[in-house]
Amino acid sequence: MTQTVAHLVNRFVIDTEDSFDDVRRRYESLVPAIDFAELTEVVATGDLARLQAYTADHTPHSFAIFWTMDPTPVMRLSGHQNRAVTYMMGNNVIAETMFRHDPGIILYAPLRTAIYETASGHVQLSIDQPSSKFASFGDSHIAEVGAQLDTKVAELLRLMTLPVPPELITA
């Protein structure tokens, strides 16, 4: 059996007046990278409370970076000069509160963020609205966590001194 779930996702494209390096530095200072070897060791202990404490310690503003890709060197081989970086950021403890209702949420958790230079040289940050993705599962528990993630993304943008889309505030 195959099921098609049509849903609308809001992608926020946030213009900045700052340099690529500055936006990237602010983002990475607020959303620290997780050390996967260390995380694996914590998971291997089998101690859920320890994992939860580790996550809390490593997500000072609710999120951590689980993966980073900088395609700039590859794109430069084709003559592109604009820089870009994409991240998978999230919080495994928050993701679990949705996973327990539907493991399919892992399609959207962690969240994906991109910082890039446009053709005109401006710097933008893009992220999809969490609630617009998680609402597609048709489960009120998952939708509620999606709305909470909207609030957390709004706070991250505030801390980065970037504009906060009104949809994140009214969600």
Side-chain angles (χ1 to χ4, degrees):
M1 179 175 147
T2 302
Q3 181 182 12
T4 300
V5 178
H7 64 102
L8 179 65
V9 175
N10 294 326
R11 182 179 69 223
F12 300 124
V13 179
I14 301 163
D15 289 315
T16 77
E17 297 296 323
D18 303 311
S19 72
F20 178 87
D21 291 330
D22 186 48
V23 174
R24 184 174 187 174
R25 203 173 10 263
R26 288 196 327 259
Y27 179 85
E28 291 178 358
S29 73
L30 295 165
V31 184
I34 285 283
D35 179 325
F36 253 82
E38 194 175 86
L39 177 62
T40 301
E41 288 176 17
V42 173
V43 171
T45 68
D47 184 341
L48 179 59
R50 184 170 171 196
L51 175 62
Q52 291 168 333
Y54 176 86
T55 299
D57 289 345
H58 290 82
T59 55
H61 302 287
S62 301
F63 301 113
I65 297 170
F66 290 98
W67 179 78
T68 303
M69 185 183 89
D70 182 347
T72 304
V74 172
M75 297 303 155
R76 286 212 167 133
L77 291 175
S78 296
H80 303 287
Q81 296 305 309
N82 300 57
R83 294 180 289 173
V85 63
T86 186
Y87 304 92
M88 294 191 84
M89 73 158 189
N91 182 311
N92 52 288
V93 173
I94 294 171
E96 187 282 324
T97 66
M98 295 182 287
F99 188 91
R100 69 178 73 150
H101 300 287
D102 187 337
I105 62 92
I106 209 67
L107 179 63
Y108 302 125
L111 305 172
R112 194 158 174 183
T113 309
I115 299 169
Y116 51 91
E117 295 171 322
T118 66
S120 63
H122 290 96
V123 175
Q124 295 179 328
L125 180 142
S126 287
I127 186 167
D128 289 340
Q129 183 178 14
S131 64
S132 70
K133 288 181 163 196
F134 294 116
S136 70
F137 288 89
D139 183 299
S140 63
H141 299 98
I142 295 170
E144 181 180 321
V145 176
Q148 292 168 6
L149 287 168
D150 284 1
T151 301
K152 293 177 184 305
V153 168
E155 181 59 21
L156 175 62
L157 294 172
R158 276 189 209 94
L159 290 169
M160 291 183 69
T161 64
L162 294 176
V164 176
E167 295 88 346
L168 289 175
I169 298 166
T170 60

